[in-house]
Amino acid sequence: MEKFFQLKERGTTVSREIVAGITTFLAMAYILIVNPSILAADGTGMAWGPVFTATAISAAIATLVMAFCANLPVALAPGLGLNAFFTYSVVFGMGCSWQFALTAVFVEGIIFVLLSVCGVREAIIKSIPENLKKAVSVGIGLFITIIGLVNAGICSHDTGTFIGFVNFAGENHTAIVAIIGLIITIALFTLKVPGAILIAIIVTTIIGIPFGVTTIPENFKPFSAPSTPYFFKFEWAHVLSVKFVVVLVTFLFTDMFDTIGTLLGVAEQGNLKDENGDIKNVKGALLSDAIGTVAGACLGTSTVTSFVESSSGVAAGGRTGLTSVTTAVFFLLSLFLSPLFFLVPSAATAPALIFVGYLMMKAVTSIDFADPTEGIPAFITIMTMPFSYSISKGIMFGIISYIIAKLAGKKAKDIPVVTWILGVIFLADIVFEAVK
């Protein structure tokens, strides 16, 4: 185990990796509830149980591939945003069947496998300028901080402003428990308590019981039998249609840059880079989400992608694929122990996400803001991710602004060829969205 995962080389231990893996799982376990709720919404034709099973198994498969092919502490699961596009745009908006949507996901996964093997996605990552890579890490930190604040009920748009803090007085127990959890997290981390984030999640869950935030159902049973997932429910009749191509391309680009952004952020936070400043074992990492997407489509769920919540595990000390193995094992256990895991409320996991925002902000200190051709694109990237609620859009506008800034600064020679190509593609995407 030591030799395979390179624990000493990366300055970690088995116990630390296990704690990190559990922390990552708890931070992203909500997807086991949210994904089936979205895909099996009234009118789609899908059932909650089979989608739940598909979600857990596809997450475990992809995360295990990440562990053994890339040796990185990154967990994967069906992505938010992509599942909403699946249901509300493709099935409800376009009037397509869920089998049609699954077919598009499957084809996307096959394309990604080919692009990953051929090194195309790896080349795209390497074409992103160094300051933008650091900005991606900071932007993701702010992005998941907002996710945590919203999940905790601390931030809301119902405050008379675009977004603001809620009034903590009265019956806002979820926000109060989350604040208590954040205080516990800060205290334990500052005291350098091993497993600080995981301990804070467990303690906050317990504290939530008297507040009514953590609810224990009557006749509670920790065990449950999983449903049978959908197997190979594809619809090939319309694969040559324009509608299919539009759906395929949307899945393709959103997934690609969400994954790239997450990998960049986690690598920056955990110092998981090689001597050239590139992500370690990046080809294996990119292949992992491609294989996960193919497996997920075969089981009956939307696109599988790398999760930004992996940052919480990295913050807990995770540095190798052993963290991912632990997370994958818990996804498999959740098939039988789902009632137990679902006791953990969002108020308990939200403080971990908020705190990780602080940890990922560290990269901002090494961004070259003195050079406007580097600093402005970095700022655009950081700003766009949380306010657009999208990692891919942050990368998109960051690349475009980088090209504009370099041209304005008469430094066009600093722009790599692949970056030019990405800029053209992103502009075309913006124009397409505007006229669609």
Side-chain angles (χ1 to χ4, degrees), residues 4 32 60 71 179-180 187 193 284 332 338 348 404 422:
F4 183 85
L32 291 168
N71 193 22
I179 292 292
I180 294 172
V193 175
L332 293 176
S338 56
I404 293 171
L422 288 177

Side-chain angles (χ1 to χ4, degrees), residues 109-381:
I110 295 296
I111 292 173
F112 268 171
V113 169
L114 296 175
L115 292 178
S116 300
V117 171
C118 295
V120 174
R121 298 174 78 189
E122 185 178 355
I124 291 173
I125 286 183
K126 290 182 178 180
S127 73
I128 298 176
E130 190 61 30
N131 280 302
L132 282 191
K133 289 179 181 178
K134 295 171 182 175
V136 166
S137 175
V138 179
I140 289 176
L142 292 176
F143 174 54
I144 63 176
T145 296
I146 285 186
I147 291 175
L149 289 169
V150 172
N151 288 352
I154 296 172
C155 271
S156 172
H157 58 78
D158 299 326
T159 57
T161 57
F162 289 112
I163 189 169
F165 274 24
V166 299
N167 185 348
F168 295 107
E171 300 297 317
N172 203 339
H173 293 165
T174 300
I176 293 171
V177 170
I179 292 292
I180 294 172
L182 183 58
I183 293 170
I184 293 170
T185 305
I186 293 170
L188 293 177
F189 187 87
T190 304
L191 292 170
K192 298 181 180 180
V193 175
I197 294 177
L198 176 59
I199 293 172
I201 290 173
I202 295 172
V203 172
T204 306
T205 299
I206 296 171
I207 290 173
I209 295 174
F211 282 89
V213 173
T214 302
T215 56
I216 302 176
E218 293 183 15
N219 302 319
F220 173 73
K221 296 179 181 179
F223 301 97
S224 65
S227 301
T228 302
Y230 298 110
F231 286 111
F232 303 101
K233 298 293 186 180
F234 300 128
E235 182 183 294
W236 299 103
H238 305 289
V239 292
L240 299 179
S241 66
V242 173
K243 187 182 291 187
F244 185 86
V245 173
V246 170
V247 172
L248 174 64
V249 169
T250 302
F251 276 132
L252 200 68
F253 276 90
T254 303
D255 183 24
M256 177 181 290
F257 292 102
D258 272 358
T259 297
I260 287 174
T262 299
L263 290 175
L264 287 173
V266 172
E268 187 72 40
Q269 181 192 0
N271 194 26
L272 300 170
K273 294 183 176 183
D274 58 25
E275 60 277 4
N276 298 318
D278 298 320
I279 301 170
K280 291 182 178 180
N281 307 320
V282 65
K283 182 174 287 188
L286 294 169
L287 186 61
S288 302
D289 80 277
I291 291 173
T293 293
V294 172
C298 292
L299 291 166
T301 186
S302 54
T303 303
V304 172
T305 188
S306 301
F307 261 58
V308 294
E309 285 81 0
S310 302
S311 302
S312 61
V314 174
R319 293 295 181 270
T320 75
L322 186 55
T323 293
S324 298
V325 170
T326 305
T327 304
V329 168
F330 272 82
F331 269 117
L332 293 176
L333 286 175
S334 69
L335 290 169
F336 306 94
L337 300 172
S338 56
L340 184 62
F341 291 120
F342 292 163
L343 288 179
V344 181
S346 59
T349 56
L353 300 181
I354 296 168
F355 187 74
V356 166
Y358 150 72
L359 297 173
M360 297 189 76
M361 282 294 293
K362 294 177 183 178
V364 78
T365 61
S366 58
I367 296 174
D368 184 11
F369 285 108
D371 181 354
T373 68
E374 296 286 339
I376 292 173
F379 165 71
I380 296 294
T381 303

Side-chain angles (χ1 to χ4, degrees), residues 46-64:
M46 303 185 84
W48 198 95
V51 177
F52 170 86
T53 303
T55 302
I57 295 176
S58 63
I61 290 172
T63 305
L64 284 173

